[in-house]
Amino acid sequence: MGAQTYLPIEILDYVETHAPPDESPFGISQRELAKALGYHPCSMSRPLASLVGDGYLTEGRGLVRDGVRKQLTYRITEPGRARLRRETREVPLLSGEIPPPPHPFLGRKEELSQLSDFAREGGGITFVDGPPGMGKTALISRHLRSVKRGRIPFWFSVRPASSPRQFVGALTHALSSLGAHQLAYYTQIPRAPVAREVADLVAKSLGDRPLAAVIDDVQMAGPDMKVFLATFTSFLAARGDHLFYFVSQAEPSFVAAGVSTHRLTIGGLDRMAAHDLTDRRGGLADRFEAVYQSTLGSPLLLELAVSNPDVEANATALPTAVVARLSLEDIRALLPVALANEPVPVAFASEFQGTPIARLVEMERMGVLHRTLQGRVEVLQVVKTPLLARATPGDEREAHSRLALYYSRSHRPDAVRERFLHLVEGEFWKPAAQLLSQQETTLLRLGYSEPLRNALRHLSNVLPRGQPRVRVLQVEATLLRLHSDYSEAISTLRRAISESGREARTTGECLLSITDMYIHLHQVDEAQKAFEAAEAIGPVSRRLRAFLMLTAARLAQARGEDRLAQTGYEESFDFCRKVHAGDLALESIAAWSRLVELYSGPEVALRLISEALPEARQAGRMDVVFNLQLVRARSYTRLGQDQQAEVEMRTIRSEAEALGYMTQLTHAFSSLASLAERAGRWPEAINYAKHAIGLAERLGDDLLLGHTLAVLCATENRQAAALGDPNSTLSSDAISHGERSLEVLSKLPPSDSLVLANTYLAEAYADRHERTKAEQYYNTAMRLVEQLQLPWLKEILITELKPKVFAAT
């Protein structure tokens, strides 16, 4: 079955979950669909035309986020939604559906009562742990029936390859009925999801609706996944009546400060419930007591025993004894199901060895296979170990090959990654390396996970020495850099240099990447050494020359040489465009634009932005787009065009909020506060500033926090002065916020924000007629302006602030 069979369903799924709000001017284009799903844009034409013709999609001409002209955009219809629900059983799309509890549900009255007591206390986190096979999932599923009324249910089962991006994708599906447009767009951002940002967007999507969320099989989560889940849950649980359940075979892995938490450890069924369970499935007769004692009351093992009455074995040996009854054909048929990281369609399990569906149903009756709510099948963990023990290495290799073929039916990022992992596990080294070369961006989009890192490391060890091995090492280093593990990334790049035989181009690019990472680590001397080593190689290619120029500018800025950095970024940007190094050009302009506005003036900045903005939009680099728009708004402000600046900022606010770019959204709130203050709309300015301060604190952005505190100081002081009460509580709050601003900014390198903080405090003390303190802060501001070489800001201080300060009595 080819990929095109699956493509229409993937299109409907994407359009449904990523549809912009009705009031948004932007729509979903063919290019966006192709980019998100991993297809060539031309291959989308026929399925899109078919979906429109069949009434599953509507099309219309409108604006799109990654273009400058109107294009055809698409929306899903009700028949389209119905078809999507009908057909997703065959395509493994992420979902947050709750698995049904066993019917009838027996025993566990005490545990259910405890869980109900916890829920009655309001929102919080409940950790449910216990050995495998004790019925933890069934218990929580049964409990949710009593607490999900009025709540939005969500269920996520962790798999070894699960990543934060997959978790956010599952949340998007679960909340799509609420119109979670911002969260849906957030999943397309080309960077790892940030737990605090996701918590903000989920809270906004939920509104006043509480969430009932279950994270199952937490013991399978890698370190990064555990950190993400802990941070996300802690932030969201503190903001509403949400219920979270962490189900695991291990003890709780984190403590949520300030959030109500409970723990429930699950053991086996009591004797009466165990007797009822076995009786309803045929009974164990005189074997009951022996089986009950040996299974420790495990519901899964009790069911396995009663489903296989002719197998006599204790709890430890029972799964092995049951698997021993299977033929080698059965083992080979089950292997792909056992090795898959998620439940698979029954049809796939049948088609592998041509196993009749009736035989699969029989193995389901035996307890070897388990059917999920979505009609897919999986092999439970207690059976998986003895099943794998009977398989030969050749059988496992063939099973991984079949799984890789199965996942090749879809170009979704998580399907591409599963395909890559199975190719590596099956030791298909050449196809794995080819897939990595073709789908590097797609594989990295899902973010860091231990299975992906291990697969890359394994592949780099087994491939023959040469360019393919070097390329794998470079991808591994990129993965580590995205994970902010700069030290490990540097070590991996040094190994790539060695494996390449110190080939000039590879060595130069690796050294420049190492330089950038040393800058992130604030190790400027080490960065300088790596850069000099790259420089000694020379510009052996035009791209390497562009990379050298960009890195030289970054180093200058890291040393505090802003003027030199500005010139460097300008030269880098011009050269990158000349040699068509688009990614480096956008990185250059992102770093350069702010320095242009500060040192070359707003007119120069506006000319630069007008040329670069369309290119950034066309490339889909919304982070660069927002940075350019922020600089443009600041330029308008310096030119006295406050109305245009405010229009720009409101546009940024709307777009950044829709896309989930929380840093840029915080900048927008801060700038809107400043503009409202300049217009004398003080209550509005205070409201914007407090929004920005809260977000900056949560993002850990001290520069933005300090700047906004200074804006709040100016706003409160000027409102107090307008009310004719310079010694009011409002004035005291202004002083307090100004001093906190200085406390935050003084820990950072000198900046124009630090100048403004001193300026606003000088003004506040002057209005209170405290001349000594006013002069102190004024003189500090003037010294900083001289140090930073900002003559335009010096002129403002002399003409606007100095008369007020030295007139204070």
Side-chain angles (χ1 to χ4, degrees), residues 536-771:
I537 294 171
V540 295
S541 68
R542 293 189 299 175
R543 179 177 175 83
L544 190 59
R545 181 181 170 188
F547 204 172
L548 279 163
M549 294 169 70
L550 171 59
T551 309
R554 285 171 171 164
L555 261 175
Q557 190 170 16
R559 292 191 300 264
E561 300 170 358
D562 284 359
R563 294 281 189 173
L564 184 59
Q566 181 187 349
T567 302
Y569 286 132
E570 180 179 5
E571 293 173 352
S572 169
F573 176 68
D574 288 339
F575 187 75
C576 288
R577 286 202 303 180
K578 182 178 178 181
V579 300
H580 307 292
D583 57 331
L584 297 178
L586 290 172
E587 289 181 34
S588 299
I589 201 165
W592 175 34
S593 57
R594 174 61 173 148
L595 296 178
V596 169
E597 187 266 329
L598 271 176
Y599 296 107
S600 299
E603 295 88 351
V604 179
L606 288 173
R607 285 197 299 272
L608 168 70
I609 292 164
S610 67
E611 295 177 9
L613 199 54
E615 186 177 341
R617 275 199 178 275
Q618 192 66 37
R621 287 293 300 268
M622 291 305 295
D623 53 339
V624 177
V625 168
F626 287 136
N627 287 338
L628 293 172
Q629 287 180 308
L630 287 166
V631 175
R632 184 161 67 181
R634 281 191 287 264
S635 299
Y636 287 147
T637 302
R638 281 184 59 187
L639 292 171
Q641 301 171 11
D642 286 7
Q643 188 173 358
Q644 284 180 271
E646 191 161 347
V647 169
E648 188 81 57
M649 281 301 170
R650 290 187 185 280
T651 302
I652 296 170
R653 176 194 172 182
S654 174
E655 277 285 271
E657 197 169 31
L659 287 169
Y661 279 68
M662 304 308 288
T663 298
Q664 284 83 354
L665 176 62
T666 309
H667 274 286
F669 276 131
S670 180
S671 296
L672 285 169
S674 181
L675 289 164
E677 186 280 319
R678 286 165 63 94
R681 305 193 306 268
W682 293 301
E684 183 182 337
I686 290 172
N687 184 47
Y688 280 135
K690 288 183 176 178
H691 270 296
I693 287 167
L695 286 170
E697 286 175 329
R698 295 182 66 177
L699 292 171
D701 190 330
D702 285 344
L703 181 61
L704 191 50
L705 173 62
H707 178 86
T708 311
L709 283 165
V711 171
L712 184 57
C713 164
T715 304
E716 290 170 332
N717 178 65
R718 289 169 186 175
Q719 185 179 14
L723 294 172
D725 191 357
N727 295 306
S728 64
T729 303
L730 204 56
S731 175
S732 299
D733 289 344
I735 296 291
S736 175
H737 288 128
E739 288 176 345
R740 186 184 170 204
S741 171
L742 279 186
E743 181 184 343
V744 172
L745 293 171
S746 295
K747 298 175 183 176
L748 305 173
S751 63
D752 57 321
S753 294
L754 184 59
V755 174
L756 292 176
N758 280 281
T759 299
Y760 295 147
L761 269 174
E763 181 183 352
Y765 278 115
D767 286 339
R768 291 163 66 101
H769 306 294
E770 297 183 33
R771 179 168 176 170

Side-chain angles (χ1 to χ4, degrees), residues 110 187 214 278 288 296 329 421 429 458 462 490 539 679 741 757 761:
E110 183 179 340
T187 63
V214 179
T278 54
F288 172 76
L296 303 176
E329 288 72 21
L421 293 176
W429 313 127
H458 191 50
V462 297
I490 289 169
S741 171
L761 269 174

Side-chain angles (χ1 to χ4, degrees), residues 114-115 118 125-130 250-252 261-265:
Q114 283 184 269
L115 289 170
F118 298 159
I125 303 172
T126 299
F127 297 98
V128 180
D129 62 272
E251 295 183 358
T261 58
H262 305 281
R263 181 183 177 187
L264 180 63
T265 301

Side-chain angles (χ1 to χ4, degrees), residues 215-368:
I215 296 94
D216 200 2
D217 290 329
V218 178
Q219 77 280 352
M220 292 190 181
D224 285 74
M225 186 66 176
K226 286 181 179 177
V227 170
F228 179 89
L229 290 172
T231 307
F232 165 78
T233 307
S234 298
F235 272 93
L236 192 57
R239 299 172 63 178
D241 191 27
H242 309 298
L243 294 174
F244 289 92
Y245 299 88
F246 279 74
V247 184
S248 177
Q249 295 174 18
E251 295 183 358
S253 57
F254 70 94
V255 176
V259 177
S260 175
T261 58
H262 305 281
R263 181 183 177 187
L264 180 63
T265 301
I266 305 298
L269 294 172
D270 61 42
R271 186 175 273 95
M272 184 176 295
H275 203 283
D276 283 350
L277 175 65
T278 54
D279 272 0
R280 287 175 181 273
R281 295 181 179 272
L284 289 167
D286 57 355
R287 296 174 54 227
F288 172 76
E289 192 60 35
V291 171
Y292 176 70
Q293 293 294 337
S294 68
T295 60
L296 303 176
S298 163
L300 183 61
L301 291 177
L302 285 168
E303 289 182 10
L304 202 58
V306 79
S307 298
N308 299 273
D310 52 340
V311 176
E312 293 190 17
N314 60 30
T316 305
L318 181 59
T320 301
V322 171
V323 170
R325 301 173 65 207
L326 301 175
S327 68
L328 287 177
E329 288 72 21
D330 290 335
I331 297 295
R332 293 186 183 116
L334 292 173
L335 261 181
V337 186
L339 292 172
N341 282 322
E342 63 179 343
V344 296
V346 177
F348 168 70
S350 175
E351 73 185 29
F352 177 31
Q353 287 286 324
T355 306
I357 295 291
R359 180 55 182 159
L360 294 173
V361 172
E362 174 61 17
M363 286 190 279
E364 186 181 341
R365 186 202 62 75
M366 292 170 63
V368 175

Side-chain angles (χ1 to χ4, degrees), residues 420-468:
F420 175 72
L421 293 176
H422 286 295
L423 286 172
V424 175
E425 284 290 323
E427 300 182 356
F428 300 100
W429 313 127
K430 187 175 180 180
Q434 289 173 340
L435 181 63
L436 179 65
S437 175
Q438 297 163 1
Q439 299 282 0
E440 174 188 339
T441 303
T442 302
L443 286 166
L444 293 174
R445 264 180 61 195
L446 286 172
Y448 184 92
S449 75
E450 282 298 320
L452 180 58
R453 167 77 196 284
N454 291 338
L456 291 169
R457 184 184 298 160
H458 191 50
L459 193 57
S460 69
N461 288 331
V462 297
L463 284 173
R465 190 184 184 97
Q467 189 55 37

